[in-house]
Every structure is written in C-alpha cells, then in structure tokens.
C-alpha cells in the first residue's frame, strides 16, 4: 500500500471568468503534480452559470490527465434553487462529492463521499459519525490546532484526513455580501463585482494594516496559510493529504514546492522561501496549526511543529 | 408563540422567569458554552436551583452546550450533557455531531434542540439532524428572510425557533473563525468571540483606538462614543474608503414582525443577551412578553421603549429583510 502524502487542489473560491477558469484547470491537468482536483462553485450560487459552459471540458481534461475529480457543493444554502442545484449535482453521480454543508451530508448518506473544510469536524466522535454515514475523506477545518488533528486521526484510523496547507483561509460566510456592499451594491443586484478581485478585495484596519479579504459573501484571511511540514511530520499527524487552495499565483509551482517538501527534497525553510517567491502578494501564516491566532507566522522549531494551544 | 429568554446568571434567570419567559436558556461556566465569558454562567448547583424555581412557575429551562467538543477532551462535554439531563433540563441545545450522537444514544428521551451554531439553514440540513438525532427543534441561523423561513417551515418535521431581539451575528453562526484568526480564541472551540482578554483601548494622535489582538478594530473621534471592538462590527478601510465593512454597530429587532413570523411557522422567539445584566433581561422580557400577548395595534407602543436598550440605539431587521443582503 502506498503511504505517500498526496496533494489535493481545492475548489477555486473566487469568481474567475470562464476563460481564466478553464485555462487554469487545463494547465493544472497538464502540469501540476496533484492527485485530486475539486471543482465547482462553493461560495455563491449566483456565480454558477459563469463557469458552467467550461465545466464538462475541464472535467474531461483533468480525468484524461489521470487526476481524480471531486465536485464541491455550496457552503451556505438558503434558497430553494440552491437546494435543487445541489440535489441535481449529487443525483448525477459519477464523481465523488465534497460536502460543505449539512444538507449535502443528508443527500449523501450511505454513499461514499468527502467532507470539506467548511463542515465543522472538531473531534473524533464527529468524524466517526460522518464515517458511519459514508464519508471516506475529511478535510479538517483550518482553525484546528495540530493537537486536535492528531487526536482526531488517532480516533478514526479508517478515515483519510486532509489539511488545509496553502491558500487564504476561509474564515466566514454571510447571508450579506460585504464585497457588493463595499462597492455600493447589495447581493441581489451585485452585478458580479466580486469578479473584479480574482484574489480577494483587501480589508485594511484603520491603522493601514492589511487584515482580511472579501470574496463575495465569504471573508478570507489576508495572509496565506502555509503548513510546511516534513513528510515525517505529516505522517506523525495521521494526515494523508495536503490541500492547496487556488490563489492568483503560479499554482503549478506551488504544487511543485509541496511535492518537493513531502518527498524530502527540500526542507520547510526552503519551501517557505520558494512560496514567498511564488506568491509574493501576501505574507504567510500558520498560527492556527500551532494554537495561536491564525494570522501569525510561527517560525519552525522542533517544539513549535507539534505545538498545541497556549 | 413561546418567548425564549437569556440568562447568564441565576439573578437574570429568576428575573426572566418572573417577567414572563416561557423558557430560559443558559449554560455552564466552561468551554461547553458559546457564551463562555468571565463572571457568567452556572454551576451545577446554581442550575439545579434555577430549574427548580422555573419548574414551580411552569417555565422550562434549555441548557446550551453549543460549542464544538475539543478533540481528546470530549469528556467535559459528555459530563455536562449527563449533568444537565440529571438536573432536569427540558432541552439541550447542541451544535456538535459527536455530542448530538452521544446524547441521542445515552439519553434518548431527552429533548434535543439544534443550536444556531450548527448552521442548519435549509430543509435538507434540518432533515439530516431530525433523522439522525431526533432533533425536536432547530434554531435558525440569522441568514434567512421571512419568506425563506415560511418556505422552509413547510418542508421540515420539527419546530422552528428564531432570534428576534438583541445582538446580531453578521456571519453564519458556527462557521466564523474571524475572532480566532485575530486572537487565537475561538467561538466554536472556546465559546468566545472578540474576547475581552484581547481588547485594548489606546489613545492615538487621531483619537481613541480600539484593538483586538494585534488589529485595530475601530477609531473614535473626540465626540464619538467608543463601542466594544466586536470584530465584524468594526470600521475598516477598503479601497481607501473607511466604514463599517460588515455591519454598523446595530442590534437585531424584528419584534414588529411577530405576526409574519407566526404565519411563517415559527413557534418560538428567542432573545439574545446572556451576557447582559438582570435589569436588562427583566426590561426586555417583560416588554416582549407584553408585546407578544398584545393586539398588533398595541404592539408598536410597547416596543418603542425598548429602542433605548439597543446597541447604539440603532436596530436592524438583518437578513430577515431581503434588502439587508
């Protein structure tokens, strides 16, 4: 049995126009060393039609390249048409579905599925409950500290666990669209203004300090998560895959950095250096993993790697 | 319509019972409680005495165990659930699957309510919790309009409770790590949002600055009242324009929509404010009790006097109204 750590590319959280979205995935198919790719709108149902024309081509291209494809469900469902869309997506079958809301868990009961980082799995009993319901893979919530990750994986050895290892952290979702609001609009007449910031719209504090970023109804971190662990660290945590969340940067290079790291070709310090070059736009953070504020960067040391809540 | 009232202390609990609550909700003094603030909440003994007082007056007690269990430390939550059942809680308000599974198995007769923290916002999500754990009631997240609630109510097999008055969470509850990102303390894990331990006020050259962790949340001019730096109610700078990015410092008040909520299928109205004092609880509960029982024409006069108790004296209907989105 192959126990090497695999790389998973999470869904694009941002509104990218159809061409950009298609070209991104075509290049991922052709060049990125990731095993699994999750696609599909996760943040806002109003965007669904935008990538739809390219959807089938992207799936075909990824699968032809040998990638395993999962489909992501919406994170917050409040409308009948959103429920219906999700039912159709799940009924179509053919692909493993990643649930991002309790409603998807209901529709996926008894069927092999994955659970995304936006479903609250904070402990082993919750994970075991989901496993009984058909989940085979869980991407743990990004705010979990390493001590919790270790406790959960020890409790549920039958499940595959992923860590959110790269990308701006999904921190909150709202019924209100702060992104539209910042541009003098409301959600119902947003005119897709979130598409103007394909990497998020920066929210600075009144002391001119970058803090958060808006992405439609979602709020993400300003910093970029960078869980840079050696392969031994990852195995010690009981995790089998690292999730890379797409940002506007060279994601093929990002995947290459994580591959080199998990193959012990480079060490975490060199990985950090290379990531800062690949995605210079924002600072790196890993505070959640160490039980600190999520915005912090904890420099690598033997003790910090497995650090728990302070 | 039931009136579900908050209590952060035994004194506030008694006040809520005396002023007309149908049920009081409260929690233990630890991380099992999403209002885990210093100086608040109940010991086992205090809860037992409070339940006894309430029961004598025909009022029910709901115990909120509505954080997510810390991995490896589940015993704290299991014990809290066992104790709440033994003491005589009329319902447990839960958010975590693992804890719901435990309660459904160990205490199958215990009434289980789904906390707003569980973020069950649609018929499929609610069906999941009703089927799996026999949930008797769901507290809806503050993400739905009243017509949304009416459509939802027709499709589900449990009772609906909604927040009508008090603080307003702008984000889907139970799915927000903003506070944790800034401070390392989490609503979901430690039961605290924008905790006082991480708040600082500092006099800067341009006025009084409020900070949460290492981040400025607001700045106040010389004649401005300085509010508490709740993260999502802060003032920020987006594309060189400063303002309340997520929500103004307002609080929720949809009491003028009682009839629409009843028609939509809501059976219980919830008042937020377990962190508030006895006087506030007494005033709000007595007024809302009168308003629920009054004829619609009478209601606005009764509610007018509550406005002064709201944050910044400004209120909103929040997501209950479509335009807010």
């Amino acid at each position: 049995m192959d126990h090497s750590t695999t790389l998973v590319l999470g869904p694009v959280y941002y509104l990218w126009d159809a061409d950009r979205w298609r070209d991104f995935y075509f290049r991922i198919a052709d060049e990125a060393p990731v095993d699994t790719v999750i696609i599909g709108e996760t943040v806002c149902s109003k965007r669904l039609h935008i990538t739809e024309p390219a959807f089938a081509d992207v799936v075909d291209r990824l699968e032809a390249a040998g990638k395993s494809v999962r489909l992501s469900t919406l994170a917050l469902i409040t409308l009948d048409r959103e429920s219906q869309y999700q039912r159709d997506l799940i009924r179509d079958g053919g692909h493993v579905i990643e649930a991002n809301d309790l409603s998807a868990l209901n529709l996926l009961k008894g069927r092999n599925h994955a659970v995304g980082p936006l479903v609250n799995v904070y402990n082993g009993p919750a994970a075991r409950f989901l496993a009984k319901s058909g989940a085979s893979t869980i991407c743990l919530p990004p705010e979990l500290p390493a001590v919790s990750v270790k406790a959960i994986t020890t409790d549920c050895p039958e499940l595959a666990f992923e860590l959110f290892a790269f990308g701006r952290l999904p921190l909150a979702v709202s019924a209100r669209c702060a992104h539209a609001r910042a541009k003098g609009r409301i959600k119902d007449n947003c005119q897709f203004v979130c598409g103007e910031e394909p990497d998020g719209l920066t929210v600075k504090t009144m002391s001119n300090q970058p803090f958060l970023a808006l992405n439609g109804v979602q709020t993400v971190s300003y910093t970029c998560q960078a869980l840079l662990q050696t392969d031994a660290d990852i195995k010690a945590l009981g995790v089998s895959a690292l999730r890379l969340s797409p940002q506007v940067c060279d994601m093929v290079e990002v995947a290459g950095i994580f591959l080199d790291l998990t193959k012990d070709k480079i060490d975490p310090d060199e990985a950090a250096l290379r990531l800062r070059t690949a995605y210079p736009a924002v600072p790196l953070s890993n505070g959640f993993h160490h039980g600190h504020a999520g915005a912090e960067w904890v420099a690598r040391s033997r003790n910090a790697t497995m650090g728990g809540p302070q | 319509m039931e009136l579900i009232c908050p209590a952060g202390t035994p004194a506030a609990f008694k006040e809520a019972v005396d002023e007309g609550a149908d049920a009081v909700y409260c929690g233990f003094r630890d991380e099992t409680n999403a209002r885990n603030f210093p100086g608040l909440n109940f010991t086992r003994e205090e809860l037992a005495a409070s339940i006894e007082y309430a029961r004598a007056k025909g009022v029910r007690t709901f115990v909120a165990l509505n954080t997510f269990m810390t991995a490896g430390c589940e015993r704290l939550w299991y014990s809290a659930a066992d104790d709440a059942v033994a003491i005589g809680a009329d319902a447990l308000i839960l958010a975590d699957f693992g804890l719901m599974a435990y309660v459904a198995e160990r205490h199958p007769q215990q009434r289980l309510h789904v906390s707003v923290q569980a973020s069950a916002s649609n018929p499929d999500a609610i069906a999941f919790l009703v089927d799996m754990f026999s949930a008797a009631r769901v507290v809806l997240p503050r993400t739905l309009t009243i017509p949304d609630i009416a459509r939802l109510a027709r499709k589900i097999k449990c009772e609906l409770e909604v927040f009508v008055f008090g603080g307003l969470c702008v984000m889907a509850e139970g799915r927000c790590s903003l506070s944790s990102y800034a401070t390392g303390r989490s609503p979901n894990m430690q039961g605290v949002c924008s905790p006082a331990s991480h708040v600082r006020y500092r006099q800067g050259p341009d006025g009084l600055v409020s900070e949460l962790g290492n981040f400025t949340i607001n700045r106040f001019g010389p004649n401005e009242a300085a509010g508490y730096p709740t993260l999502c109610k802060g003032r920020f700078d987006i594309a060189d324009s400063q303002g309340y990015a997520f929500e103004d410092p307002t609080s929720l008040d949809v009491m003028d929509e009682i009839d629409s909520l009843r028609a939509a299928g809501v059976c219980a109205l919830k008042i937020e404010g377990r962190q508030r004092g006895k006087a506030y609880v007494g005033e709000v509960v007595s007024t809302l009790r009168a308003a629920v029982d009054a004829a619609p024409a009478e209601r606005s006069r009764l509610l007018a006097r509550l406005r002064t108790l709201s944050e910044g004296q400004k209120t909103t209907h929040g997501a209950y109204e479509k335009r807010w989105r």
Side-chain angles (χ1 to χ4, degrees):
Chain A
M1 194 170 164
D2 183 7
H3 287 292
S4 59
T5 303
T6 58
L7 298 179
V8 176
L9 186 73
V12 174
Y13 285 146
Y14 307 92
L15 176 57
W16 292 359
D17 65 52
D19 288 348
R20 178 185 202 135
W21 189 84
R22 183 199 57 216
D23 292 350
F24 170 75
Y25 282 114
F26 279 13
R27 183 159 175 250
I28 291 293
D30 296 346
E31 299 177 41
V34 295
D35 305 273
T36 301
V37 179
I38 303 162
I39 61 171
E41 180 56 44
T42 307
V43 173
C44 179
S45 65
K46 294 189 69 180
R47 301 164 170 178
L48 281 165
H49 67 281
I50 291 176
T51 49
E52 209 217 273
F55 209 88
D57 286 345
V58 162
V59 172
D60 288 347
R61 182 80 160 242
L62 288 166
E63 290 182 334
K67 314 290 187 203
S68 153
V69 172
R70 284 187 218 150
L71 305 183
S72 175
T73 67
L74 290 164
L76 181 63
I77 291 182
T78 59
L79 305 173
D80 285 344
R81 66 173 171 79
E82 294 168 340
S83 289
Q84 193 53 50
Y85 163 77
Q86 177 169 269
R87 284 176 170 273
D88 293 344
L89 182 79
I90 290 172
R91 191 182 304 118
D92 282 351
H95 290 96
V96 173
I97 304 284
E98 174 163 293
N100 284 303
D101 181 65
L102 305 193
S103 53
L105 297 175
N106 188 50
L107 302 171
L108 291 163
K109 264 186 303 195
R111 177 171 148 186
N112 177 38
H113 63 273
V115 175
L118 307 176
V119 172
N120 288 342
V121 183
Y122 281 91
N123 50 67
R128 280 202 312 259
F129 166 75
L130 293 174
K132 266 200 282 185
S133 180
S136 54
T137 303
I138 295 179
C139 181
L140 292 169
E143 82 165 355
L144 272 185
V147 281
S148 289
V149 171
K150 174 71 182 161
I152 295 168
T153 61
T154 305
D155 206 346
C156 311
E158 73 276 22
L159 278 169
F161 288 97
E162 288 174 18
L163 283 188
F164 193 99
F166 175 86
R168 286 184 152 173
L169 293 155
L171 295 177
V173 61
S174 175
R176 173 184 258 185
C177 186
H179 203 143
R181 194 169 186 248
K183 298 188 175 191
R185 301 196 169 276
I186 61 166
K187 188 175 162 191
D188 286 323
N189 182 26
C190 68
Q191 299 185 12
F192 305 103
V193 288
C194 59
E196 292 169 7
E197 282 83 26
D199 212 29
L201 172 59
T202 302
V203 176
K204 288 189 197 171
T205 69
M206 290 174 85
S207 305
N208 203 32
Q209 189 186 16
F211 180 25
L212 302 167
L214 303 178
N215 169 36
V217 295
Q218 183 185 47
T219 304
V220 297
S221 61
Y222 177 73
T223 58
C224 177
Q225 169 93 324
L227 287 191
L228 303 172
Q229 312 284 311
T230 65
D231 203 47
D233 292 339
I234 296 164
K235 289 196 169 70
L237 282 171
V239 166
S240 59
L242 298 180
R243 171 167 306 215
L244 314 176
S245 186
Q247 300 294 157
V248 176
C249 64
D250 186 345
M251 289 301 295
V252 171
E253 166 67 4
V254 169
I257 295 167
F258 277 90
L259 182 73
D260 286 349
L261 186 61
T262 59
K263 299 285 182 207
D264 288 329
K265 289 184 184 166
I266 55 174
D267 65 22
D269 291 338
E270 187 178 348
L273 205 63
R274 278 175 63 187
L275 267 190
R276 288 190 171 107
T277 308
Y279 189 39
V282 302
L284 304 180
S285 64
N286 59 7
F288 279 142
H289 189 70
H290 299 284
H292 293 210
E296 289 178 21
W297 172 255
V298 177
R300 186 178 169 77
S301 76
R302 199 58 230 167
N303 293 331
T305 304
M306 295 291 289
Q310 300 297 296
Chain B
M1 295 282 260
E2 292 175 23
L3 202 56
I4 315 299
C5 305
T9 61
F13 188 109
K14 183 169 180 293
E15 192 77 8
V17 169
D18 293 345
E19 295 299 337
D22 291 300
V24 180
Y25 70 102
C26 55
F28 291 125
R29 194 173 292 162
D30 57 33
E31 296 190 353
T32 63
N33 181 344
R35 280 282 180 278
N36 181 23
F37 297 132
L40 285 187
N41 303 314
F42 291 70
T43 64
R44 284 3 184 208
E45 295 71 27
E46 287 167 345
L47 184 68
S50 296
I51 288 177
E52 194 179 340
Y53 183 80
R55 190 155 285 162
K57 302 210 167 188
V59 174
R60 286 167 299 150
T61 304
F62 301 162
V63 178
L65 304 168
N66 55 346
T67 48
F68 294 86
M69 300 191 292
T70 300
C73 307
E74 292 87 0
R75 184 41 51 195
L76 177 68
W77 279 261
Y78 293 160
S79 300
D82 293 342
D83 291 348
V85 172
I87 294 169
D90 292 287
L92 303 187
I93 308 173
L94 309 178
D96 185 296
F97 298 142
L99 187 58
M100 288 187 206
Y102 176 85
V103 169
E105 191 190 318
R106 292 294 181 94
H107 307 290
Q109 302 305 316
Q110 178 65 46
R111 195 175 160 87
L112 192 159
H113 290 184
V114 175
S115 167
V116 69
Q117 297 294 117
S119 199
S121 60
N122 58 69
D124 286 315
I126 293 168
F128 185 64
L129 300 168
V130 171
D131 291 351
M132 293 293 187
F133 309 115
S134 304
R137 179 180 292 187
V138 168
V139 185
L140 289 179
R142 283 161 269 196
T143 54
L144 300 160
T145 64
I146 295 174
D148 290 340
I149 294 171
R151 278 190 294 274
L152 171 76
R154 289 196 289 271
K155 295 180 181 169
I156 61 167
K157 293 179 184 154
C158 70
E159 300 165 356
L160 282 182
E161 180 174 311
V162 300
F163 279 95
V164 290
F165 192 88
L168 171 70
C169 258
V170 181
M171 304 302 175
E173 294 99 329
R175 307 179 82 179
C176 178
S177 309
L178 289 173
S179 178
S180 187
Y181 179 71
T183 70
R185 303 281 293 162
S186 153
N188 284 0
M189 294 191 286
Q190 283 89 28
V192 288
C193 173
S194 307
S197 54
H198 289 67
V199 168
R200 262 190 319 179
Y201 292 92
R202 191 167 50 76
Q203 195 64 48
D206 309 318
L208 183 69
V209 168
S210 65
E211 295 173 331
L212 182 69
N214 295 323
F215 301 98
T216 298
I217 302 300
N218 213 332
R219 182 185 293 141
F220 305 94
N223 300 317
E224 243 184 319
Y228 187 86
T230 303
L231 202 162
C232 61
K233 310 270 175 70
R235 238 180 315 203
F236 298 103
D237 185 339
I238 303 175
D240 298 326
S241 169
Q242 294 190 339
Y244 291 101
F246 302 102
E247 175 58 293
D248 298 335
T250 57
S251 68
L252 180 71
D253 180 1
V254 276
M255 283 298 290
D256 55 355
E257 296 282 2
I258 294 174
D259 293 310
S260 317
L261 289 166
R262 182 188 284 123
V266 170
C267 78
L269 307 176
K270 188 162 203 160
I271 304 168
E272 188 277 344
R274 287 196 279 152
Q275 71 284 19
R276 307 299 292 258
K278 172 186 154 182
Y280 174 91
V281 169
E283 175 84 19
V284 169
V285 172
S286 65
T287 307
L288 297 189
R289 175 80 271 161
V292 168
D293 296 342
E298 252 316 83
R299 211 168 276 149
S300 58
R301 186 185 57 79
L302 287 165
L303 294 173
R305 69 189 175 100
L306 276 186
R307 295 283 136 76
T308 52
L309 291 172
S310 299
E311 189 178 356
Q313 279 89 63
K314 285 198 297 184
T315 60
T316 172
H317 279 199
Y320 293 111
E321 188 171 33
K322 204 169 181 187
R323 279 176 305 174
W324 182 83
R325 295 174 167 181

